[in-house]
Amino acid sequence: MLVPMKTLLHQAEKNNSAVGAFSVGNMEMVMGAIKAAEDMKTPIILQIAEKRLKNSPLELMAPMMISAAKNSSVDIAVHLDHGLSIECIRKALDYGFTSVMLDCSLKPLEENIKLTKEIVSLAKTTDATVEAELGVVGGNEGDTEKHIITCTDPDVAKYFCYKTKIDALAVAIGNAHGNYPVLPELRFDVLEKIHKKTDIPLVLHGGTGITDEMFRKAISLGIRKINIATASFDSLTEYAEDYLTKENNHDYFTLSAKMAEGVYKNIVKHIEIFNNKEKLS
Ligand code: 13P
């Protein structure tokens, strides 16, 4: 069933868990993600970033993501990740996305606040959830240019949330998009301060390559949504490569199933951690 993203964030808050937000770029990724969520009986967020629309047009992806969510046996939110333009956010809302992110994290604070407020009032028309980002997450979704990490300032986070009335805040605590060259040192001290000063679900971008222990610690400090993109794209590619190099006769249908399986395996692994049930069993 298609649900508002804030519903899933509030459930995660109650369960002391996090919802996985899995980036998708084609039909196999959507199918692998939905099957993983259904097999794990766990809600997820299906998302796509504006920069990825060059490869995977919104006109094709949006109806597929919405339809997959509506037909699923578990709750699914559909989210526009790293929205860069109001036009794109408006289109996503028109397609029925239940959540949008405006990423103005590289703009001056007051401009970020002004633009984010516009999105908050736009999203009210469909009761969609709004995520925004403060500080600078490393790497750069879909680009060669890399950003230098700047941690979110907890006091600025408090002011930003109060001014904008967003539903979820993406934080920068040493995390980065893409594969980490070395294991990152996440600033849990900064996360703890942000969590104490803001009464809002927090979002961790750059989930690929973060260890299980770090995920658990982040969840204990208020992270309620965790974004995973690169690990799913890589797993799909590995499964496809494996099929094409190890087997002699190839056909599209088997290749398609292998790609979906690669995504499925990666998502199941992450859902197991994000559900954060280990201590209870
Ligand atoms: P990774 O590609 O590092 O998993 O990051 C995903 C992300 O944060 C998407 O916004």
Side-chain angles (χ1 to χ4, degrees):
M1 197 168 101
L2 178 66
V3 297
M5 188 171 91
K6 50 194 154 200
T7 307
L8 302 186
L9 298 178
H10 295 140
Q11 274 169 13
E13 180 78 40
K14 270 196 216 143
N15 299 338
N16 191 27
S17 61
V19 197
F22 299 101
S23 300
V24 291
N26 66 11
M27 182 187 74
E28 284 78 9
M29 296 191 83
V30 172
M31 290 170 72
I34 295 285
K35 183 168 168 17
E38 290 181 341
D39 285 358
M40 299 295 288
K41 297 188 172 42
T42 300
I44 59 165
I45 298 158
L46 280 184
Q47 66 180 16
I48 186 160
E50 184 170 341
K51 275 188 185 153
R52 298 292 180 198
L53 301 178
K54 286 181 280 195
N55 292 80
S56 315
L58 189 65
E59 293 69 24
L60 301 179
M61 291 302 296
M64 183 164 60
M65 292 163 77
I66 297 287
S67 170
K70 284 186 175 162
N71 287 294
S72 174
S73 61
V74 294
D75 289 348
I76 309 279
V78 177
H79 173 71
L80 180 75
D81 188 29
H82 292 285
L84 300 169
S85 63
I86 294 194
E87 300 77 63
C88 184
I89 289 178
R90 202 185 292 277
K91 266 196 208 162
L93 292 172
D94 287 347
Y95 276 115
F97 277 40
T98 57
S99 176
V100 289
M101 173 189 187
L102 176 72
D103 182 357
C104 286
S105 56
L106 297 178
K107 294 197 190 302
L109 178 65
E110 290 305 328
E111 195 179 342
N112 189 351
I113 291 175
K114 181 177 163 285
L115 293 167
T116 304
K117 279 169 85 173
E118 277 179 42
I119 299 303
V120 168
S121 71
L122 182 63
K124 277 212 179 90
T125 56
T126 61
D127 197 28
T129 309
V130 178
E131 175 183 336
E133 180 172 311
L134 265 190
V136 182
V137 170
N140 190 358
E141 180 94 15
D143 248 339
T144 45
E145 181 202 345
K146 297 273 179 270
H147 297 143
I148 307 297
I149 296 172
T150 313
C151 282
T152 307
D153 180 319
D155 289 311
V156 177
K158 182 179 176 181
Y159 173 71
F160 184 81
C161 294
Y162 169 73
K163 289 295 247 186
T164 58
K165 309 281 183 282
I166 51 167
D167 303 292
L169 178 71
V171 295
I173 52 164
N175 45 322
H177 293 113
N179 286 307
Y180 293 94
V182 291
L183 194 63
E185 283 190 25
L186 296 186
R187 291 287 306 272
F188 291 115
D189 55 327
V190 175
L191 179 60
E192 189 169 12
K193 284 187 189 135
I194 300 169
H195 183 42
K196 279 193 180 136
K197 289 190 184 249
T198 60
D199 185 20
I200 189 170
L202 302 174
V203 181
L204 184 67
H205 282 239
T208 296
I210 289 181
T211 64
D212 299 3
E213 290 68 36
M214 286 177 175
F215 281 134
R216 290 200 186 94
K217 176 95 179 150
I219 292 169
S220 78
L221 295 172
I223 292 290
R224 298 290 163 238
K225 170 179 182 266
I226 302 178
N227 287 9
I228 302 287
T230 307
S232 290
F233 290 113
D234 286 354
S235 186
L236 177 152
T237 309
E238 270 163 36
Y239 271 67
E241 259 176 3
D242 198 60
Y243 169 61
L244 293 172
T245 51
K246 292 202 183 136
E247 291 178 37
N248 288 328
N249 297 315
H250 307 125
D251 64 87
Y252 163 74
F253 302 100
T254 313
L255 177 63
S256 168
K258 292 281 178 196
M259 291 194 283
E261 191 187 344
V263 174
Y264 170 87
K265 284 273 160 52
N266 178 57
I267 293 185
V268 164
K269 186 178 84 184
H270 283 96
I271 290 176
E272 268 167 4
I273 307 160
F274 300 165
N275 276 348
N276 200 23
K277 290 234 168 85
E278 202 179 59
K279 281 185 231 108
L280 302 177
S281 57

